[in-house]
């Protein structure tokens, strides 16, 4: 069963707009990560937030984590056509199984020029 | 740096045939993983190897076997392929941290397998 589930499944915006993707998970976690996947390629790590953090920034990325609601959001500001990709959240198993990253089904983002 | 290299990139098999997907990493990572990606399902963990000499089952291990050949290489074998194993397979590696550390994965480009 999937630990993380992203919402929405697909998002279409214009260049310059902000894109927000949400992730919900089911069990306690130690860390939550976001990855990007360009079409036909492997996943690339974007950003990690630890369970004792509430917000983290990296360039145009902003991630929030609400452990009480078991949810996270990824905000991409001033989007570009090059941001077109699928975005996945990933959580560890939370049971000490640090080896096992569990991925959600992803959000497909399309940024139109 | 090559990172994580998977071969082959594409493969078509007939039901019942066997094959091995190869994966090698040059980052001196301790841990390696095999995931499969199906439309609408995200990535699901098949097997992983926390360190050289160990392997463990993930979410969907049935129909697969793995070998951690050495620290660099981790192969995935389909002994008798089935159409349900049609998927894109990703190998990944990491330097796993313990305690409350983080397990950040580096992925290969993927291997697209079709079983007829």
């Amino acid at each position: 069963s999937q630990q993380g589930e992203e919402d929405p499944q697909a998002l279409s915006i214009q260049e310059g707009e902000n894109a927000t993707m949400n992730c919900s998970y089911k069990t306690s976690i130690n860390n939550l990560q976001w990855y990007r996947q360009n079409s036909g390629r492997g996943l690339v790590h974007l950003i990690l937030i630890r369970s004792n953090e509430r917000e983290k920034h990296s360039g145009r990325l902003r991630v929030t984590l609400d452990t009480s609601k078991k949810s996270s959001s990824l905000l991409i500001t001033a989007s570009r056509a090059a941001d077109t990709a699928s975005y996945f959240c990933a959580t560890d198993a939370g049971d000490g199984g640090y080896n096992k990253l569990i991925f959600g089904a992803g959000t497909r983002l399309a940024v139109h020029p | 740096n090559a990172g994580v290299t998977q071969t082959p990139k594409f493969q078509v098999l007939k039901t019942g045939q066997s094959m091995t997907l190869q994966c090698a990493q040059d980052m001196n990572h301790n841990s390696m993983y095999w995931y499969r990606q199906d439309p609408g399902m995200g990535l699901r963990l098949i097997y992983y190897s926390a360190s050289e000499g160990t392997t463990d089952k993930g979410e969907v291990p049935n129909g697969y076997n793995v070998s951690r050949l050495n620290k660099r290489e981790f192969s995935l074998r389909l002994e008798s392929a089935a159409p349900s194993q049609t998927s894109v397979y990703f190998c990944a590696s990491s330097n796993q941290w313990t305690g409350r550390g983080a397990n950040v994965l580096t992925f290969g480009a993927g291997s697209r397998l079709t079983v007829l």
Side-chain angles (χ1 to χ4, degrees), chain A residues 1-3 9 29-31 33 35 37 40-45 48 50-52 86 88 92 96-106, chain B residues 31 33 35 37 40-45 48-51 57-59 90 96-110 112:
Chain A
S1 61
Q2 290 174 301
Q3 163 79 311
Q9 290 185 336
I29 62 171
N30 297 301
N31 308 284
Q33 304 179 43
Y35 287 77
Q37 183 182 32
R41 308 291 294 274
L43 280 72
V44 174
H45 178 257
L48 176 148
R50 300 184 190 281
S51 59
N52 62 351
S86 291
F88 296 87
D92 60 28
Y98 302 105
N99 299 92
K100 305 175 199 175
L101 269 191
I102 309 297
F103 287 81
Chain B
S31 302
Y33 310 81
Y35 284 87
Q37 184 177 33
M41 297 289 290
L43 278 78
R44 291 182 290 171
L45 182 64
Y48 67 99
S49 171
S51 60
K57 296 178 180 179
E59 294 176 81
F90 288 96
Q96 183 210 345
W97 291 55
T98 57
R100 294 189 70 248
N103 194 19
V104 176
L105 303 188
T106 300
F107 282 84
R112 185 175 294 274

Side-chain angles (χ1 to χ4, degrees), chain A residues 1-19:
Chain A
S1 61
Q2 290 174 301
Q3 163 79 311
E5 295 185 4
E6 288 90 344
D7 170 62
Q9 290 185 336
L11 182 60
S12 181
I13 61 174
Q14 298 295 126
E15 258 189 335
E17 294 180 339
N18 295 342

Side-chain angles (χ1 to χ4, degrees), chain A residues 1 11 26 29 36-37 39 46 50 55-56 58 63 65 67 70-71 74 77-78 81 83 85 87 96 106 109-110:
Chain A
S1 61
L11 182 60
K26 299 174 183 174
I29 62 171
R36 182 187 73 225
Q37 183 182 32
S39 180
L46 292 177
R50 300 184 190 281
E55 188 170 313
K56 201 160 183 181
S58 177
V63 171
L65 179 64
T67 53
K70 292 187 170 60
S71 68
L74 171 67
T77 60
D83 294 327
Y87 293 82
L109 173 65

Side-chain angles (χ1 to χ4, degrees), chain A residues 62-92:
Chain A
R62 173 181 169 242
V63 171
T64 61
L65 179 64
D66 186 334
T67 53
S68 66
K69 295 181 179 177
K70 292 187 170 60
S71 68
S72 172
S73 67
L74 171 67
L75 169 68
I76 304 174
T77 60
S79 63
R80 306 165 181 168
D83 294 327
T84 294
S86 291
Y87 293 82
F88 296 87
C89 68
T91 55
D92 60 28

Side-chain angles (χ1 to χ4, degrees), chain B residues 15-91:
Chain B
T15 297
Q17 288 185 320
S18 62
M19 77 157 299
T20 300
L21 299 176
Q22 307 284 355
C23 176
Q25 52 92 9
D26 62 2
M27 296 169 288
N28 202 35
H29 283 170
N30 292 319
S31 302
M32 297 185 73
Y33 310 81
W34 278 104
Y35 284 87
R36 60 178 287 174
Q37 184 177 33
D38 302 294
M41 297 289 290
L43 278 78
R44 291 182 290 171
L45 182 64
I46 305 171
Y47 270 94
Y48 67 99
S49 171
S51 60
E52 187 178 357
T54 69
T55 61
D56 285 285
K57 296 178 180 179
E59 294 176 81
V60 289
N62 291 344
Y64 305 95
N65 285 303
V66 290
S67 295
R68 184 73 182 268
L69 304 170
N70 48 56
K71 191 172 185 180
R72 291 187 63 248
E73 299 173 286
F74 188 39
S75 63
L76 178 71
R77 183 162 178 82
L78 287 69
E79 291 291 350
S80 179
S84 61
Q85 294 178 304
T86 293
S87 188
V88 181
Y89 292 84
F90 288 96
C91 178

